[in-house]
């Protein structure tokens, strides 16, 4: 390009990252949908068969659709996915029909699983084949479980033998494994060529695969020999052979490794990409930071839901679906609350004689629950990071109990002063102090044991943990406080 031509090229207009852009677009879509509904309601109030009113409705509807389509065409597929996730099913389907076909594949990859299913249901076979026909094998493997079998079979016909083998391989790995998230697109070179040859090879490519920070050095059997960082390729002499500058010490992943373990390795070693090798040492794929970020986000969401005993669901799902998701743990929580109330009822005589205890026992239970929740959060996070082993478990338990005891000793002074202020009884204040310390230790113990036991049996450590903790601290908190009051105050 000549200098004059470069000068005539319009300047780039960078798009500044603004987390509120998607929210603004969502608000605008919702407003246009509201206006469209208002017009429809007004027309329906007219006399039936009013041709003029129907014509007006049709024109306004077309105008709103054109405005919505123009708005959607200017958005990133991730923002479109956010909007679709934030709309009720009927409105979601209306907006999905307006999304440009060239964005269909990217949007399907971006949306959450529970939204993707409803979008695929609204597409006919031809549209699905068109949307997935140009996907890479690893991307298609992500969507395959949600696609009709005949669509997957049709798309496979358009793949090369290598791509078809990659697709079948990716679909064969467990859902939460490295093999399920690995990318097959990467750059490989031999160790006996010069850097000049490597550079010429890279220039012939249309573009480098996303997140390429290193080139993989393999032999003729595709066995990984080393890695060549792009930074070293650019600063080394072109006549140098690859074997002289490649790194022979590098981290590799196995396709059956847990994706959570891979995410931990990326965080620990600040990786951008990592090679995936099979048991014979052959390079079969790579994992990139983009894949790892998705894993971290999904794990974080699942953990937050699991602690409340929930599974991922469409926020606009039918009531029956929400009931199936939420009712089991809520019913269990009802049983635990009933148990706590039953424990308190056994001390009816004590409470009837010292009524002030009824106001104080909720404090004992609440403090124990809060203390246990802090411990449980730390334990669940440590389990997720792989920092807890059989050797350090007992040391960790002792530390948490000691920390809880020290915190409790500080807090009970405030609680004792409060109990004394409203009861004017030193004895009640002392019982309050003892009960609080005991229940905080109970909360810390449960906060350690519940996640550890669930992890030991291969269950999600966070699933329902808050419900179980509340059950323990409420029931035992009432029992300890009212039991001590019965022994020392009556």
């Amino acid at each position: 390009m000549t200098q004059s031509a470069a000068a005539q090229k319009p300047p780039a207009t960078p798009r500044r990252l603004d987390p509120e852009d998607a929210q603004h677009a969502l608000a605008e879509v919702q407003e246009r949908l509201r206006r469209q509904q208002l017009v429809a309601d007004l027309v329906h109030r007219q006399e039936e068969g009013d041709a003029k009113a129907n014509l007006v409705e049709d024109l306004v509807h077309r105008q709103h659709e054109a405005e919505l389509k123009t708005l959607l065409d200017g958005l990133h597929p991730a923002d479109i996915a956010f909007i679709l996730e934030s709309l009720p099913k009927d409105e979601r389907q209306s907006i999905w029909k307006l999304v440009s076909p060239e964005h269909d594949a990217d949007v399907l990859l971006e949306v959450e699983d529970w939204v993707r299913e409803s979008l695929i249901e609204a597409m006919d076979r031809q549209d699905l084949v068109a949307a997935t026909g140009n996907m890479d094998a690893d991307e298609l493997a992500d969507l395959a479980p949600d696609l009709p079998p005949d669509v997957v079979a049709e798309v496979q016909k358009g793949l090369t033998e290598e791509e078809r083998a990659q697709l079948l391989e990716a679909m064969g790995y467990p859902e939460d494994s490295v093999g399920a998230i690995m990318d097959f697109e990467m750059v490989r070179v031999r160790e006996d060529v010069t850097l000049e040859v490597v550079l010429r090879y890279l220039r012939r490519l249309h573009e480098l695969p996303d997140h390429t920070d290193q080139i993989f050095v393999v032999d003729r059997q595709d066995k990984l020999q080393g890695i060549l960082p792009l930074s070293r390729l650019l600063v080394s002499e072109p006549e140098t052979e690859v074997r002289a500058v490649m790194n022979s010490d590098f981290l590799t992943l196995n396709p059956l490794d847990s994706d959570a373990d891979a995410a931990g390795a990326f965080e620990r070693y600040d990786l951008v990409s990592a090679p995936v090798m099979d048991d014979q040492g052959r390079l079969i794929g790579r994992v990139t930071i983009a894949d790892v970020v998705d894993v971290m986000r999904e794990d974080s969401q699942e953990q937050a839901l699991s602690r409340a005993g929930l599974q991922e669901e469409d926020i606009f799902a039918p009531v029956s679906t929400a009931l199936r998701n939420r009712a089991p743990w809520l019913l269990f929580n009802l049983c635990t609350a009933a148990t706590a109330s039953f424990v308190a009822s056994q001390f009816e005589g004590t409470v009837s004689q010292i009524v002030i205890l009824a106001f104080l026992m909720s404090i004992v239970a609440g403090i124990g629950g809060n203390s246990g929740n802090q411990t449980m959060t730390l334990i669940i996070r440590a389990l997720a990071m792989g920092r807890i082993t059989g050797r350090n478990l007992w040391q960790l338990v002792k530390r948490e109990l000691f920390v809880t005891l020290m915190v409790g000793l500080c807090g009970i002074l405030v609680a004792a002063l409060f109990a004394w202020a409203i009861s004017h009884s030193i004895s009640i204040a002392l019982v309050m102090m003892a009960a609080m310390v005991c229940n905080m230790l109970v909360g810390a113990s449960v906060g350690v044991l519940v996640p550890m036991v669930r992890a030991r049996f291969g269950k999600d450590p966070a699933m329902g943990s808050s419900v179980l903790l509340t059950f323990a601290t409420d029931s035992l908190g009432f029992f300890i406080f009212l039991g001590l009051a019965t022994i020392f105050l009556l």
Side-chain angles (χ1 to χ4, degrees), residues 101-122:
E102 65 185 33
H103 288 157
D104 284 351
D106 292 329
V107 173
L108 287 174
L109 290 170
E110 291 286 349
V111 294
E112 300 287 351
D113 294 342
W114 43 270
V115 174
R116 183 185 301 140
E117 294 175 4
S118 65
L119 299 184
I120 290 177
E121 289 175 0

Side-chain angles (χ1 to χ4, degrees), residues 110-374:
E110 291 286 349
V111 294
E112 300 287 351
D113 294 342
W114 43 270
V115 174
R116 183 185 301 140
E117 294 175 4
S118 65
L119 299 184
I120 290 177
E121 289 175 0
M123 301 175 69
D124 57 33
R125 184 177 181 277
Q126 183 177 358
D127 290 339
L128 282 173
V129 172
T132 57
N134 294 325
M135 285 185 176
D136 296 331
D138 56 304
E139 295 174 338
L140 187 58
D142 290 338
L143 292 184
D146 299 322
L147 294 173
D150 61 322
V151 172
V152 177
E154 181 67 23
V155 173
Q156 285 184 3
K157 295 178 182 178
L159 301 178
T160 64
E161 288 295 332
E162 181 182 6
E163 290 172 336
R164 191 176 297 115
Q166 291 174 348
L167 173 61
L168 295 176
E169 183 179 6
M171 293 173 60
Y173 291 116
E175 182 179 356
D176 297 328
S177 67
V178 166
I181 64 171
M182 70 178 177
D183 182 5
F184 296 104
E185 202 175 359
M186 52 193 162
V187 181
R188 310 178 225 202
V189 297
R190 301 275 188 265
E191 63 179 345
D192 56 353
V193 300
T194 65
L195 300 184
E196 176 61 30
V197 173
V198 175
L199 288 170
R200 287 204 303 268
Y201 169 66
L202 294 181
R203 293 190 191 102
R204 289 201 299 268
L205 300 176
H206 295 294
E207 60 181 357
L208 291 177
D210 291 338
H211 307 290
T212 296
D213 66 317
Q214 56 190 358
I215 297 172
F216 302 114
V217 184
V218 297
D219 61 15
R220 297 188 181 278
Q221 286 75 42
D222 263 347
K223 292 187 176 181
L224 190 59
Q225 305 298 309
I227 60 171
L228 175 62
L230 287 184
S231 57
R232 186 170 298 180
L233 169 65
L234 295 175
V235 300
S236 300
E237 293 296 329
E239 298 80 12
T240 308
E241 286 193 345
V242 169
R243 64 163 58 93
V245 293
M246 72 179 187
N247 287 338
S248 299
D249 181 18
F250 49 90
L251 180 135
T252 64
L253 302 173
N254 185 277
L256 294 179
D257 288 341
S258 165
D259 57 5
D261 292 340
F266 268 68
E267 180 183 10
R268 189 177 308 117
Y269 302 114
D270 295 328
L271 301 177
V272 175
S273 66
V276 181
M277 292 170 46
D278 62 13
D279 294 334
Q280 287 73 43
R282 292 175 301 186
L283 179 67
I284 60 174
R286 65 175 185 139
V287 174
T288 69
I289 187 63
D291 305 314
V292 168
V293 169
D294 289 340
V295 170
M296 290 180 172
R297 178 180 57 82
E298 291 172 3
D299 286 349
S300 176
Q301 292 175 347
E302 290 176 2
Q303 190 177 107
L305 292 171
S306 294
R307 294 197 63 184
L310 294 175
Q311 296 177 346
E312 190 176 45
E313 70 173 36
D314 187 346
I315 57 175
F316 299 106
V319 174
S320 58
T321 303
L323 285 176
R324 287 195 301 269
N325 187 11
R326 306 182 194 185
W329 277 103
L330 287 177
L331 292 176
F332 179 76
N333 197 10
L334 178 62
C335 293
T336 61
T339 302
S341 298
F342 174 77
V343 170
S345 70
Q346 300 307 298
F347 297 91
E348 181 181 0
T350 302
V351 176
S352 63
Q353 295 184 49
I354 310 175
V355 180
I356 195 67
L357 297 179
F359 302 97
L360 296 177
M361 64 182 185
S362 61
I363 299 177
V364 175
I367 292 297
N370 290 336
S371 174
N373 193 49
Q374 291 178 344

